[in-house]
Structures are given as C-alpha cells and as structure tokens.
Amino acid sequence: MSRNEHLLQALQAPSEAITSMRVGLIGDPVAHSFSPRLQQAAFDASGIAARYELWRTPASKLLERIHSLCEKNCLGANVTIPYKQAVIPFLDKIDPLAVRIGAVNTIVQQDDYLYGYNTDAPGLLRALEEQGIGTLRQDGQVSLKGYTAILLGAGGAARGAAFALASAGVERLIILNRHLERAQLLAADVQHSYDGPIFSLNDPSFLIPHSSSIIVNATPVGMHEDISLLPPEVLAHFDSDTFVYDMIYNPAQTYLLCQARIMGLRNANGLSMLLHQGALAFTLWTGEPAPLDIMRATLL
Ligand code: NAP
C-alpha cells in the first residue's frame, strides 16, 4: 500500500475516530519557527486533514516525545535545534544520506516504524540555486564548481550543509566553529566522500578570503543579539562576488546580513531553505507533491 493510501485509510477509519492527523516540530526552542504556517497551508491546500503543531521538548522528555510519534494519528515530525543528532539512536531506520550527514530533520511514521531523513541538505542547495548561486546540472543536481564555501557552525544543520556543499563540488570547504574539535570531526566525516581540501578553524581572523565565496551561517548566532561569528572587519576582506546566506530567517535581517548588505555583498536569509526542506518533508509524510507556490506565499 502506498504512503498516500495509508494516509487515506487512517483518515477514513471511523472505528479509530481519527479525524485529523498530527505532525509537529520537535526542538527547544520552537516558538520562532515558521514551519506551522508553511506546512499547515500545504496540508490545507492538498485537502489533507492534518495539523502541524509546535512540540517544545526539553531534553529530559525527548525519548517520550519520540515514542509519541508512533501513535496512530501521527505522520511524524520535523526536528530542530538541538536534537538533529540526538534523535538518531531512537529511530528504526535512517535514510543513507542522513546516515552520512549524521543528522535527521524529518521523521516519518509508518506502521509503527520511525524513519529518519535529512531534507536540510538538498533544501539548502535548492535555496542557493534559486538565489542564482550555482548551476542546475542535467541530472537535476546543483553544481557549485568554482566556489569556495565558508561554513559557520558544525552542528546538525551545518553537517547537512557541509555534505551538500561538498557534494555540489565546491572548490574548497572551510568550516569555522566555536569548538574546533567539532569542526575537525565534521571535516573528517565529509572528507570520506570529497576530494577537495577542507580547513577547520575556530578563529575567523585566520580566514583567507577567496573570490567566489559562499558564506553560510548554520549557527543560531545572530538570532537574539546583534552579533555574528564573522566580524565586519573580516567580512570586509571578501570580494564583491561573495554571497552570504544566513540559515536564520527570524529575524529576517541578522547582523551578518546587515553587514553584508552594507558592504554591497549579495545575501539572503534562511526562508528559501525553510521552504525547500519543508516541501521535501511534506512529500515524505504524505507521498504528495508539495504545493510550493502556496507554501512560498505563506512566507512573504
Ligand atoms: P545545533 O545542532 O545545536 O548547532 C549549533 C551550532 O551553532 C554549533 O556549531 C555551535 O557551536 C554553534 N553555536 C551555538 N551557539 C553559539 C555561540 N553562542 N557562539 C558560537 N557558536 C555557537 O543547531 P542546528 O540544528 O544546527 O541549527 C543551527 C541554526 O540553523 C538554527 O538557528 C536553526 O534555526 C537554523 N536552521 C535553519 C534552517 C532553515 O530551513 N532555514 C534549517 C536548519 C537549521 P559549538 O559546536 O561550538 O557548540
């Protein structure tokens, strides 16, 4: 039976009295997330009776929360900060891409089994391509040949980004993280499937600017305060063809993006990545194509 047939069967089962399916966002904090309005619009437009909820989960309740995903009326979940790595041991099967990345942002429940996926990685590449960064190859994959990628962070989202950027063929990858060992660990993991050079740093003043750089912030730094891991005096050394992408979308303009704009660098916030990772998650839960234009409209 297809995923969609399962879904319809669940919704049509009167004895179970299921009137609506549930899906939600597991994390802490979650209040800042736009996923509920993005996903709710997609469910409503597709005629699927499902509710997208915010499931703020303290670490002590994570296991309980994961168990609750096996309830009959649950489609699964999205996972956000700080649990993208922590959920993995509790799932039944992990998609090969998510295994390589070591982070799960989408969980699908089917027949009491929990499947883990990573849609952040392809979501980021689609977002960059939409911003005019990279080219779409004949096989539908995004190529970032010729670009230098500078990744800020080495947590769950950064892991997806690092594998995505490497798989898109960037010329070199530079990972800057507060804890150097975490950056080095990520670099070692990516190096297994990447021929280019990877550098790990914890001090931005050691960054050597390259032309055609893509700077990706994959940390929450800048979400609550006007600070950035890349101080303006370092950013100022980058060429005008540099593109700055901040995965943060709330606030829409972080300090990093403001500085980039002041310096005349192209830049974008994380809304486009949110859209594309969310669209891929929607299809995994429902088996339906995501109504991308409707989802995009909720973010305007
Ligand atoms: P995570 O796994 O907890 O990783 C957090 C990362 O940020 C780590 O590299 C950590 O460094 C660094 N960090 C945290 N606080 C810091 C501080 N005060 N100073 C310096 N570094 C700090 O979180 P995540 O799931 O990867 O999420 C990261 C961000 O990406 C969040 O803001 C999330 O909302 C955003 N995101 C957006 C999208 C989207 O669709 N737009 C998708 C995914 C994630 P250490 O390793 O040194 O601790």
Side-chain angles (χ1 to χ4, degrees), residues 32 80-82 84-85 120 153-158 177-179 182 218-221 223 229 247-249 270-271 273-274 277:
H32 65 280
T80 188
I81 189 168
K84 288 182 184 185
Q85 292 163 276
D120 280 338
N177 195 52
R178 175 175 58 181
H179 292 101
R182 212 170 171 197
T219 77
V221 177
M223 203 187 262
L229 283 186
M247 286 194 194
I248 296 172
Y249 55 83
L271 276 182
M273 178 175 169
L274 178 77
Q277 64 76 31

Side-chain angles (χ1 to χ4, degrees), residues 71-155:
E71 285 166 14
K72 276 234 155 5
N73 67 339
C74 190
L75 290 174
N78 278 138
V79 183
T80 188
I81 189 168
Y83 300 132
K84 288 182 184 185
Q85 292 163 276
V87 296
I88 290 179
F90 306 132
L91 306 180
D92 298 300
K93 202 162 190 305
I94 313 292
D95 177 70
L97 176 65
V99 170
R100 262 188 290 138
I101 293 171
V104 159
N105 77 320
T106 302
I107 300 173
V108 176
Q109 193 265 124
Q110 192 164 17
D111 301 331
D112 288 346
Y113 285 94
L114 298 177
Y115 299 85
Y117 297 88
N118 189 299
T119 67
D120 280 338
L124 172 65
L125 292 182
R126 288 183 189 196
L128 290 176
E129 199 266 330
E130 208 172 76
Q131 305 288 336
I133 305 302
T135 48
L136 205 52
R137 294 193 315 227
Q138 271 187 342
D139 61 2
Q141 302 298 311
V142 176
S143 167
L144 294 174
K145 235 171 168 277
Y147 286 96
T148 291
I150 296 154
L151 180 60
L152 312 180

